[in-house]
């Protein structure tokens, strides 16, 4: 890996971040707070929340097994994605490389930040080839984006290929593991000590069943976490979100029950869809959704909409021609979907 000061934008490297009232005073035993121009009434919502979410990070450390010094929390993973551009990529100068097809936000944030985005197609089995990704980089490539399990294809990328990218690339490698709780593979967040250039994204939006609260995690070296914290809005994760997240962290039995139901449903749903006469292929998945190719995906998509069932039409995405992306729902929802698919006549 290059030295961090060669990878970070010079203005960010030099930046003196905003210092808020809650940063300056850190003691625990004060009881009269007259430092932040808050209204003294309406507790607890009258107070600014902890800008570094330290209580929540300690609870997260217990569940996820990563020290809190390696943890950044944001307003969804989407905030972390945008911050990675703002910390590392100089507009109109630097570029990033990403697998393709993949999650759309990497490209949208590149365009917002005026950073060149270089997509590299996966192979026919939706696997990434480290050599092809590395061949797309040059001396101005700051970040490589990898999503595993990948959205919209559903499959996990081969660990050995990701490790090759991490070892051979001199810049930052992001591994987005939004869906890692839906499989038994070893997550990359445990490999941070081996790779100082690794950033792993996790989210409360999928397995943690909390998309509404907007909470995303970026795991990285303490040096990178400090940079992300310097650039974020001071109070980027609000109090209600911090509280609800700790509530979920204390609800592990319920969450594990939901995950196990989703896995069982996935095992029933995939073969049932594969058997339909108008389904050409169901792709294997390591996530809570799967990609399936149909004879007439556009028409089938609109037929399902007519019946009040919404799936994601990916039929115009590279390598996903004719494909719909389907999320595993409750047993009742999956039954309704299958009944509709069986009644469909092309
Ligand atoms: C759904 C999803 C996310 C979640 O983003 P949030 O902003 O945390 O809701 C992140 N990455 C991928 C690949 C996803 O599919």
């Amino acid at each position: 890996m290059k030295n961090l000061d060669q990878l970070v934008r010079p203005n960010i490297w030099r930046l003196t971040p905003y210092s808020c009232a809650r940063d300056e005073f850190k003691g625990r035993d004060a009881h009269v707070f007259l430092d932040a121009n808050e209204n003294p009434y309406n507790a607890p919502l009258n107070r600014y929340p902890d800008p570094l979410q330290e209580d929540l990070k300690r609870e997260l450390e217990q569940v996820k097994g990563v020290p809190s010094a390696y943890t950044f929390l944001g307003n969804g993973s989407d905030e972390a994605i945008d911050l990675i551009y703002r910390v590392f990529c100089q507009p109109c100068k630097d570029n990033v490389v990403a697998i393709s097809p993949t999650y759309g936000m990497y490209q949208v944030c590149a365009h917002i930040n005026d950073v060149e985005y270089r997509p590299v197609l996966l192979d026919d089995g939706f696997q990434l080839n480290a050599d092809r990704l590395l061949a797309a980089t040059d001396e101005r490539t700051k970040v490589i984006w990898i999503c595993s399990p990948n959205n919209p294809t559903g499959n996990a990328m081969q660990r050995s290929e990701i490790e090759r990218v991490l070892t051979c690339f001199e810049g930052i490698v992001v591994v987005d593991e939004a869906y890692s709780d839906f499989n038994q593979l070893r997550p990359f967040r445990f490999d941070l000590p081996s790779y100082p250039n690794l950033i792993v994204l996790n989210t409360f939006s999928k397995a943690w069943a909390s998309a509404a609260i907007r909470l995303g995690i970026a795991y990285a070296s303490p040096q990178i976490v400090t940079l992300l914290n310097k650039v974020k809005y001071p109070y980027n994760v609000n109090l209600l979100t911090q509280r609800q997240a700790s509530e979920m962290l204390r609800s592990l039995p319920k969450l594990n029950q939901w995950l196990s139901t989703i896995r069982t449903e996935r095992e029933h749903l995939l073969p049932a869809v594969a058997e339909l006469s108008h389904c050409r292929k169901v792709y294997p998945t390591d996530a809570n959704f799967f990609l399936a190719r149909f004879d007439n995906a556009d028409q089938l998509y609109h037929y399902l909409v007519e019946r009040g069932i919404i799936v994601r039409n990916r039929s115009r995405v590279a390598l996903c021609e004719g494909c719909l992306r389907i999320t595993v729902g409750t047993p009742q929802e999956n039954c309704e979907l299958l009944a509709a698919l069986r009644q469909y006549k092309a």
Side-chain angles (χ1 to χ4, degrees):
M1 180 191 177
K2 290 182 185 162
N3 286 331
L4 256 192
D5 64 351
Q6 293 171 270
L7 286 171
V8 173
R9 289 168 66 185
N11 60 312
I12 301 300
W13 191 254
R14 291 189 307 262
L15 178 72
T16 309
Y18 175 71
S19 172
C20 56
R22 286 290 171 273
D23 283 326
E24 275 182 23
F25 180 78
K26 285 259 164 82
R28 287 252 159 190
D29 43 8
H31 62 285
V32 181
F33 289 101
L34 305 177
D35 58 345
N37 299 345
E38 296 150 339
N39 189 315
Y41 305 106
N42 200 34
L45 296 183
N46 58 331
R47 299 294 177 194
Y48 281 103
D50 176 1
L52 293 174
Q53 313 96 17
E54 288 182 10
D55 291 343
L56 175 55
K57 282 180 185 167
R58 258 190 299 278
E59 293 169 13
L60 208 51
E61 176 175 331
Q62 296 308 310
V63 174
K64 293 272 201 168
V66 181
S68 58
Y70 288 76
T71 307
F72 166 86
L73 295 181
N75 188 334
S77 325
D78 291 344
E79 180 183 8
I81 293 168
D82 187 51
L83 282 174
I84 289 167
Y85 282 104
R86 292 164 63 199
V87 167
F88 294 104
C89 299
Q90 285 197 264
C92 305
K93 272 195 178 167
D94 293 332
N95 65 73
V96 303
V97 166
I99 60 168
S100 171
T102 193
Y103 184 48
M105 278 306 282
Y106 316 141
Q107 179 161 26
V108 171
C109 286
H111 290 163
I112 289 171
N113 288 286
D114 216 348
V115 170
E116 185 196 347
Y117 185 83
R118 301 181 172 179
V120 175
L121 276 188
L122 297 171
D123 70 17
D124 294 337
F126 294 142
Q127 273 301 326
L128 81 78
N129 176 306
D131 290 327
R132 291 186 52 207
L133 273 186
L134 294 165
T137 64
D138 62 20
E139 69 287 351
R140 295 241 58 114
T141 306
K142 293 297 189 65
V143 181
I144 295 182
W145 294 93
I146 295 171
C147 184
S148 179
N150 187 32
N151 180 0
T153 60
N155 61 311
M157 302 292 112
Q158 250 169 35
R159 173 168 261 276
S160 55
E161 289 297 292
I162 298 180
E163 286 172 347
R164 252 178 65 72
V165 175
L166 280 162
T167 309
C168 300
F169 181 55
E170 301 261 77
I172 301 295
V173 179
V174 181
V175 179
D176 187 343
E177 293 194 318
Y179 299 97
S180 62
D181 291 321
F182 295 105
N183 61 58
Q184 309 294 323
L185 303 165
R186 174 185 162 90
F188 270 89
R189 68 174 185 274
F190 297 129
D191 296 296
L192 289 163
S194 319
Y195 302 109
N197 58 339
L198 171 63
I199 301 180
V200 175
L201 300 183
N202 276 196
T203 179
F204 270 67
S205 298
K206 308 289 160 55
W208 287 86
S210 303
I213 71 173
R214 309 306 303 133
L215 187 65
I217 309 169
Y219 290 115
S221 71
Q223 292 75 16
I224 293 178
V225 166
T226 301
L227 287 160
L228 296 172
N229 281 329
K230 250 167 82 160
V231 177
K232 75 180 182 74
Y233 287 158
Y235 306 107
N236 61 328
V237 178
N238 71 66
L239 178 77
L240 301 176
T241 293
Q242 293 186 41
R243 292 199 160 176
Q244 182 58 30
S246 27
E247 177 73 30
M248 293 314 288
L249 289 169
R250 280 181 260 113
S251 314
L252 277 179
K254 179 172 70 179
L255 272 155
N256 284 328
Q257 185 56 56
W258 289 340
L259 284 184
S260 120
T261 306
I262 292 168
R263 276 195 290 264
T264 310
E265 280 300 298
R266 180 175 72 184
E267 279 164 34
H268 295 315
L269 190 56
L270 266 76
V273 171
E275 269 181 19
L276 298 164
S277 60
H278 55 105
C279 177
R280 290 194 202 161
K281 186 170 173 69
V282 169
Y283 289 93
T285 181
D286 301 294
N288 65 331
F289 64 86
F290 61 98
L291 201 62
R293 179 163 280 136
F294 295 94
D295 284 341
N296 197 338
D298 277 330
Q299 199 183 50
L300 179 59
Y301 171 79
H302 291 291
Y303 161 87
L304 289 172
V305 170
E306 285 298 304
R307 303 194 145 218
I309 300 171
I310 313 301
V311 298
R312 200 85 200 269
N313 188 351
R314 300 282 81 185
S315 60
R316 267 169 288 279
V317 170
L319 301 185
C320 303
E321 293 79 13
C323 288
L324 302 181
R325 192 194 72 191
I326 301 174
T327 310
V328 178
T330 63
Q332 294 84 335
E333 289 170 334
N334 302 330
C335 249
E336 197 175 324
L337 169 77
L338 274 179
L341 287 173
R342 286 177 180 139
Q343 280 165 22
Y344 172 74
K345 293 195 182 50

